[in-house]
Amino acid sequence: MSSSFKAFVTSSKFNIVCVFIPIALFFSFSGAPATVVFTLNFIAIMPLAKLLGFATEELALMSGPTVGALLNATFGNVVELILGVIALKDGLIRVVQASVMGSILSNILLVLGFCFLLGGVGRVEQQFSMTAAQTSSSLLALTTLSLLVPAAFSATADTAEEAEIGILNLSHGTALVLLVVYGLSLLFQVRFDLLFKEDDDEEEPTTTMTFSFLSLFAVAGLVSIHADFLVGAIEGVVESWEVNETFVGVILLPIIGNAAEHVSSVTFAMKNKMNLSINIAISSSLQIGLFVTPVLVIAGWIFGQPMSLFFEDFETVVLFSSVLIVNYLIQDGHSNWLEGTLLLASYTIIAMAFWFHPTTAFSG
C-alpha cells in the first residue's frame, strides 16, 4: 500500500498544486466572496483531474484493452460529468451546454493547435495514423450532426411550443443513439486495433487494484465537493467580472478538466509521438460529444431539467466550422507548425466572439 501511495503522490509534478485543495475548502466553507471561491476551487480541481486520470490509467493497465477502454470512456471525463450534473441540478442548462461545447472546441482547436505548432517546430512535418484519423473525423462529423439537426428543427417548427417539445423528445432519442454509437466505436477500435499507438513497450501498473479503486472514488468525491462550490459561485463571478455565463462555460470551465491532458498531449507532440498526442486531443473530444453530452441529456431527463441538444445557432455554426477545419487538416495523416497556427488562430477568433457576443442575463 505504501508503494502504491508513493506512486500516486509522485505520479506528476503537477500534484504540487494539490496544496490549493485545503485552501479552497477553507475559504469556501468560511463564506468568502464568489470570485475567491470560484478561483480557488478552479485551481484545486485541476490536479484532482490529473489524479483521476492516473487512477483510471492504472486500472486500465490491469484490466486489459477491452475493459481498459470502457474504464477510460467512463472515467476519462468524470470531471466534466460531475460539473455538468451539479450544474444541471441547479438548473444552469446554458452553462452545461457551454461547457460541453467548450470542451470539444478546446481539445480540437487549442490543444491540437499547440501540438501541431510546438511539435512541428524544427521539423518539416510530423506523421500519424491516417486510418485512425479518418475514423475520428467521421465520429466528429456525427457529433456535429447531432447538434445541427435540432437547430434546423427549431428553425423550421411552426410555433415555439412545438419546437421546444419536439427538440426535447428528439434530444432524448438522439442521446440514446449516440451512446450506442460510442459503444460500437469502442468495440471497433479495440477489436481492430485502430487506437492511436506508438511502438513503445507496454507500461506496467505501479499501484494495486484496491488502491486504485479507493483513490478513484476518493478523488471523485473531492471533485464533487469542489465542483459544487465552483458552480455555486458562477453567478457571482458573472456579476463581478462582467462576463456572460456562456463565456465562462465555453472558455473557462474546460480548462479545469482538460489542463493536465493538455500538457500531456503537447509533451508527446514535442517528443514526436504524434499518435499518442492526437489520441488524447481527438478521443477526449469524442468522449465529450458521444458520451458525456448524451449522458447529461439523459440526466436532465431524470432531473426534470429541459437539457437538450439544441444549442444556440451561433454556437452550432462555430462547432460546425471548427470540426470542418480540423477534419480537413488531420485526414492526410501529416501535420506542421503552420497548421497548428491556423488552429490556434481559429480558437482565438472564437474566444473573442464569445467574449463580445451579447447573451441573455444569467439565470440560475
Side-chain angles (χ1 to χ4, degrees):
M1 185 69 73
S2 60
S3 61
S4 295
F5 181 76
K6 182 179 179 181
F8 182 75
V9 172
T10 60
S11 60
S12 171
K13 294 179 180 178
F14 198 62
N15 291 345
I16 194 172
V17 187
C18 287
V19 297
F20 281 93
I21 294 173
I23 297 174
L25 292 175
F26 173 78
F27 279 96
S28 298
F29 281 111
S30 62
T35 54
V36 175
V37 172
F38 181 89
T39 302
L40 290 176
N41 284 284
F42 183 93
I43 298 172
I45 290 177
M46 289 193 285
L48 290 174
K50 178 67 173 175
L51 290 174
L52 275 175
F54 174 75
T56 303
E57 289 169 6
E58 289 290 298
L59 288 172
L61 289 173
M62 302 174 203
S63 308
T66 304
V67 178
L70 293 174
L71 284 171
N72 280 315
T74 305
F75 294 104
N77 294 96
V78 70
V79 174
E80 287 87 346
L81 272 174
I82 292 173
L83 281 169
V85 169
I86 291 175
L88 268 180
K89 291 179 70 175
D90 290 346
L92 305 180
I93 296 174
R94 289 293 300 132
V95 173
V96 176
Q97 291 181 323
S99 64
V100 165
M101 174 75 66
S103 293
I104 296 175
L105 292 175
S106 67
N107 277 297
I108 64 175
L109 295 179
L110 183 65
V111 182
L112 206 59
F114 273 119
C115 290
F116 286 179
L117 175 62
L118 298 181
V121 172
R123 301 182 176 97
V124 176
E125 66 177 16
Q126 293 176 287
Q127 298 181 357
F128 46 88
S129 170
M130 188 162 57
T131 303
Q134 290 172 342
T135 302
S136 297
S137 296
S138 301
L139 292 172
L140 278 174
L142 176 62
T143 300
T144 307
L145 176 68
S146 69
L147 302 182
L148 281 174
V149 172
F153 188 102
S154 175
T156 55
D158 292 332
T159 65
E161 185 178 356
E162 285 182 0
E164 185 177 351
I165 296 174
I167 287 172
L168 205 55
N169 292 330
L170 173 63
S171 297
H172 295 159
T174 303
L176 296 175
V177 172
L178 292 179
L179 287 175
V180 171
V181 170
Y182 185 64
L184 292 175
S185 71
L186 284 178
L187 177 64
F188 179 81
Q189 289 174 339
V190 171
R191 183 172 179 80
F192 293 96
D193 199 29
L194 287 179
L195 288 171
F196 293 96
K197 284 187 175 181
E198 302 289 347
D199 296 327
D200 295 332
D201 295 330
E202 290 188 5
E203 295 181 45
E204 294 294 330
T206 57
T207 62
T208 64
M209 183 169 288
T210 301
F211 181 87
S212 295
F213 269 116
L214 291 175
S215 61
L216 184 67
F217 289 108
V219 174
L222 273 175
V223 169
S224 299
I225 296 172
H226 287 291
D228 196 24
F229 285 122
L230 182 80
V231 171
I234 289 178
E235 184 174 2
V237 168
V238 168
E239 294 174 355
S240 299
W241 292 353
E242 297 182 353
V243 297
N244 59 68
E245 73 274 16
T246 306
F247 180 83
V248 173
V250 172
I251 304 301
L252 297 184
L253 291 187
I255 297 175
I256 300 172
N258 298 327
E261 291 180 346
H262 292 182
V263 174
S264 299
S265 183
V266 173
T267 301
F268 284 130
M270 294 174 68
K271 293 179 180 178
N272 204 28
K273 296 183 177 181
M274 288 304 292
N275 283 332
L276 285 172
S277 180
I278 300 273
N279 178 38
I280 294 172
I282 301 296
S283 293
S284 184
S285 294
L286 292 176
Q287 286 178 4
I288 294 294
L290 299 178
F291 178 72
V292 174
T293 304
V295 168
L296 290 175
V297 169
I298 294 172
W301 193 2
I302 295 171
F303 296 148
Q305 296 286 355
M307 170 68 183
S308 73
L309 293 174
F310 172 56
F311 289 43
E312 297 298 326
D313 294 342
F314 171 67
E315 297 161 19
T316 306
V317 170
V318 166
L319 180 64
F320 174 78
S321 304
S322 301
V323 170
L324 186 67
I325 188 172
V326 170
N327 282 352
Y328 183 80
L329 291 179
I330 69 173
Q331 282 195 353
D332 62 353
H334 297 81
S335 65
N336 55 61
W337 63 265
L338 180 58
E339 292 182 346
T341 304
L342 296 177
L343 292 176
L344 291 175
S346 300
Y347 188 77
T348 302
I349 293 170
I350 289 170
M352 289 192 297
F354 277 108
W355 175 267
F356 292 113
H357 191 270
T359 57
T360 56
F362 184 90
S363 58

